[in-house]
Amino acid sequence: MASDARRSWTRRDFPVLLAMPTRWADNDMFGHLNNAVYYELFDTAINGWLAGAGGVDAATTPELGVVAESGCIFYREVGFPQPLTVGMRVERLGRSSVTYALGVFGGGPDDGPSDPAEATVAAVGHWVHVYVDRTTRRATPMPDAVRVALQGMLAVNEQEG
């Protein structure tokens, strides 16, 4: 993974930006966001966005996007009470899977960073959803509405696979 290039990502590298509040309980004993909370942020951002842009009702849709892989690289600390922004982009769009890149930034999506260090990403995550049939749990093509919504987030110079 090209972590050095990703370290310099800014909000401009993400077609979707979502405001995410932090909570008192998100901080660990060291005073920064606990590493497990990043995965909660990613899961909330992706599934919230899919519900709105892709019209996905996770409780009833016949196709489920299940997490097949996830990871995170941490570059600097963030924590409560700091508001956060999660940026989303699609790195790869396949027949039944999608790979997201996610960026965590200090401040809201429309905020100009007051601290120059906050202009770049604090953490970068990756998340792979594989779509499976709700009943059989076998891989299935993703719903057309989801595919159309995701195509708008494809990273520049990336092609469908």
Side-chain angles (χ1 to χ4, degrees), residues 26-148:
D26 292 340
N27 282 3
D28 62 18
M29 63 187 262
F30 304 112
H32 59 256
L33 216 60
N34 184 282
N35 61 337
V37 173
Y38 288 82
Y39 294 92
E40 293 175 9
L41 292 171
F42 299 155
D43 202 21
T44 298
I46 291 169
N47 287 297
W49 184 85
L50 285 171
V56 174
D57 179 353
T60 62
T61 185
E63 303 89 1
L64 303 173
V66 296
V67 179
E69 180 180 316
S70 64
C72 190
I73 300 170
F74 305 97
Y75 296 115
R76 62 182 167 76
E77 295 179 0
V78 294
F80 178 84
Q82 183 179 28
L84 301 177
T85 296
V86 174
M88 293 175 43
R89 64 192 253 175
V90 170
E91 296 284 290
R92 182 185 174 283
L93 185 58
R95 182 183 76 81
S96 62
S97 67
V98 56
T99 302
Y100 298 93
L102 301 118
V104 176
F105 298 89
D110 299 322
D111 293 346
S114 56
D115 178 352
E118 291 184 2
T120 56
V121 70
V124 172
H126 75 276
W127 198 269
V128 178
H129 266 167
V130 174
Y131 281 82
V132 299
D133 179 273
R134 177 181 291 279
T135 304
T136 67
R137 297 297 204 240
R138 293 185 188 263
T140 189
M142 71 181 64
D144 290 338
V146 171
R147 173 173 298 286
V148 168

